[in-house]
Amino acid sequence: MARLTREQSQARTKAKLLASAREVVAREGYEGATIERIAEEAGFSKGAFYSNFNGKEDIFLYLLETHAGEDVVELQALLGPIENPRDLIDTLSNWAQERSTDPSWGMLALELFRHARRNATFGERHSNLFRAQWEGLGKILLRMFPEGEAPAGPTALGGIVFELTYGAASSFTNGPTVGELVKVALTSMYKAYGAEKKAT
Amino acid sequence: MARLTREQSQARTKAKLLASAREVVAREGYEGATIERIAEEAGFSKGAFYSNFNGKEDIFLYLLETHAGEDVVELQALLGPIENPRDLIDTLSNWAQERSTDPSWGMLALELFRHARRNATFGERHSNLFRAQWEGLGKILLRMFPEGEAPAGPTALGGIVFELTYGAASSFTNGPTVGELVKVALTSMYKAYGAEKKAT
């Protein structure tokens, strides 16, 4: 196997540190997750950590940005080919259900929300991040409605789905599931403001 | 002024400890909130704390139960006299908006969600609590729909509103607001499945 270039090697180090950070914060909480521990579990020194990230907040925002971006890319790939609004609603509800039951992302999101509430700078980057994520999904959802007939702008449409998906209380109820909540909200929007598309 | 009875005095002590716990956890987080600190800020000894509560989890669950119960009582009083579904939607959206911007309840809810994720027994009581709260609001919302025409059962209807109200991400976006998200979801449900009631 060819030796890794410096860029490849650095990208691999960064990815390992991110994976380690995700696991450590899900297990120990934000305050409990130390840079030493994150570096150690990834198999690196603190020096390697600091040559990739400015500190703990930086790696967590990077993690959250990566994740939020991945959600939208994943949803575009998943929903892109679907023309029929009812199929789109079913597919998105199933995605929300699966995502909401992934314990490590749920825990990580809670830790980050909590930290962002206490820290204005972190909160500002956090805010822009959510807005972009909500809007990205919302633009996909606009497809369910005739032009100008959607019940709200793309940011609000996407926000409803993401808030229900990552809603903290959902993980504690023994039903209705997140998938059901998302389906009720979207089906109602579609029935109220959408229109059946003709099969082509 | 007449001297307090033993029961009145104990109720007052309990109320002061609860108010103190709410403030301390909002400021210090769940882990950082010690029984010593909660008792001290309320003006009592640890002994007084333990004669009212079994421990830290107990006082936080009590706080959350009180709060969740209060939400439903408050909503019943607020929405009870309103017959017109669109007025009901406006009033509930405004309530959600105000509630979502109360920083101490938002922080407390996050701390408790986080703790419940890590602790199964606490999580079980938490779960029953949310279910009752969702159902309580959902029963009020059934009024928007002709009998048998609601888009989902009361628990899901209430769950959508509460998840949007206490949704963790909402507090970080610079719009759309929680009130707008709730209004879009409810207006869509009403337009899709409701019926204008005749003025009487």
Side-chain angles (χ1 to χ4, degrees):
Chain A
M1 214 168 78
R3 225 177 134 201
L4 295 177
T5 65
R6 189 180 145 73
E7 286 71 25
Q8 286 171 322
S9 169
Q10 189 163 28
R12 184 176 285 198
T13 303
K14 202 162 184 168
K16 281 188 185 169
L17 285 165
L18 282 166
S20 171
R22 177 180 157 165
E23 280 174 35
V24 174
V25 78
R27 198 176 61 230
E28 314 283 344
Y30 186 89
E31 276 85 359
T34 62
I35 288 173
E36 287 83 350
R37 176 61 62 91
I38 292 167
E40 186 189 316
E41 293 198 11
F44 299 109
S45 64
K46 275 179 74 172
F49 180 98
Y50 282 109
S51 71
N52 282 281
F53 300 100
N54 291 328
K56 195 157 100 171
E57 289 199 345
D58 189 44
I59 194 171
F60 285 110
L61 256 170
Y62 199 93
L63 198 58
L64 193 69
E65 279 163 1
T66 307
H67 172 55
E70 273 170 11
D71 267 3
V72 174
V73 169
E74 192 178 315
L75 286 169
Q76 271 161 347
L78 192 66
L79 305 174
I82 302 175
E83 280 293 324
N84 183 294
R86 291 193 182 271
D87 294 342
L88 190 142
I89 291 170
D90 283 343
T91 306
L92 182 52
S93 305
N94 289 338
W95 176 87
Q97 179 57 24
E98 279 178 32
R99 184 51 53 112
S100 72
T101 46
D102 178 330
S104 88
W105 276 121
M107 193 70 205
L108 181 64
L110 269 186
E111 289 300 320
L112 290 162
F113 289 145
R114 190 167 164 273
H115 183 66
R117 289 228 180 190
R118 291 158 178 266
N119 179 311
T121 312
F122 192 74
E124 175 72 22
R125 278 178 70 185
H126 217 149
S127 165
N128 294 334
L129 181 64
F130 282 115
R131 209 181 153 80
Q133 190 189 25
W134 289 12
E135 194 181 3
L137 173 57
K139 282 181 176 166
I140 301 174
L141 293 177
L142 284 178
R143 200 188 305 158
M144 300 198 305
F145 310 101
E147 199 162 333
E149 298 294 321
T155 315
L157 293 181
I160 289 170
V161 174
F162 276 121
E163 284 290 69
L164 293 175
T165 302
Y166 291 111
S170 299
S171 51
F172 304 114
T173 62
N174 42 1
T177 65
V178 166
E180 284 165 350
L181 298 184
V182 169
K183 189 161 181 171
V184 169
L186 291 179
T187 303
S188 299
M189 289 182 201
Y190 176 60
K191 274 199 68 165
Y193 301 95
E196 301 290 345
K197 299 235 166 127
K198 290 206 177 115
T200 49
Chain B
M1 214 168 77
R3 227 178 132 200
L4 293 178
T5 65
R6 190 179 143 74
E7 286 72 26
Q8 285 172 323
S9 169
Q10 190 164 25
R12 184 175 283 197
T13 303
K14 202 162 184 169
K16 281 188 185 167
L17 286 165
L18 282 166
S20 171
R22 177 178 159 167
E23 281 175 33
V24 173
V25 78
R27 198 176 61 231
E28 314 283 344
Y30 187 88
E31 275 86 0
T34 62
I35 288 172
E36 287 82 352
R37 177 61 61 93
I38 293 167
E40 187 190 316
E41 294 199 11
F44 299 110
S45 64
K46 275 179 73 174
F49 180 98
Y50 282 109
S51 71
N52 282 282
F53 300 101
N54 291 328
K56 195 158 101 171
E57 289 199 345
D58 188 45
I59 195 170
F60 285 111
L61 256 171
Y62 200 93
L63 199 57
L64 193 69
E65 280 164 0
T66 306
H67 172 54
E70 274 170 11
D71 266 5
V72 175
V73 169
E74 191 178 315
L75 286 168
Q76 272 161 346
L78 193 67
L79 305 174
I82 303 176
E83 280 293 324
N84 184 295
R86 292 191 181 272
D87 293 343
L88 189 143
I89 291 170
D90 284 344
T91 306
L92 182 52
S93 304
N94 289 337
W95 176 87
Q97 179 58 22
E98 279 178 32
R99 184 50 55 111
S100 72
T101 46
D102 178 329
S104 88
W105 275 120
M107 194 68 205
L108 181 65
L110 270 186
E111 289 299 320
L112 290 163
F113 289 145
R114 187 166 166 274
H115 184 66
R117 288 227 180 191
R118 292 158 178 265
N119 180 311
T121 312
F122 192 74
E124 175 71 23
R125 279 178 69 184
H126 217 149
S127 164
N128 294 334
L129 180 65
F130 282 116
R131 209 181 153 80
Q133 189 189 26
W134 290 13
E135 194 182 3
L137 173 58
K139 283 181 177 168
I140 300 175
L141 293 177
L142 284 178
R143 201 189 305 159
M144 301 199 305
F145 310 102
E147 198 161 333
E149 299 293 323
T155 316
L157 294 180
I160 288 170
V161 174
F162 277 121
E163 284 290 69
L164 293 174
T165 302
Y166 291 112
S170 298
S171 50
F172 304 114
T173 62
N174 42 0
T177 65
V178 166
E180 284 164 352
L181 297 184
V182 169
K183 189 161 179 169
V184 169
L186 290 180
T187 303
S188 299
M189 288 183 203
Y190 176 60
K191 273 199 68 165
Y193 301 94
E196 301 290 345
K197 300 234 167 131
K198 291 207 177 111
T200 48

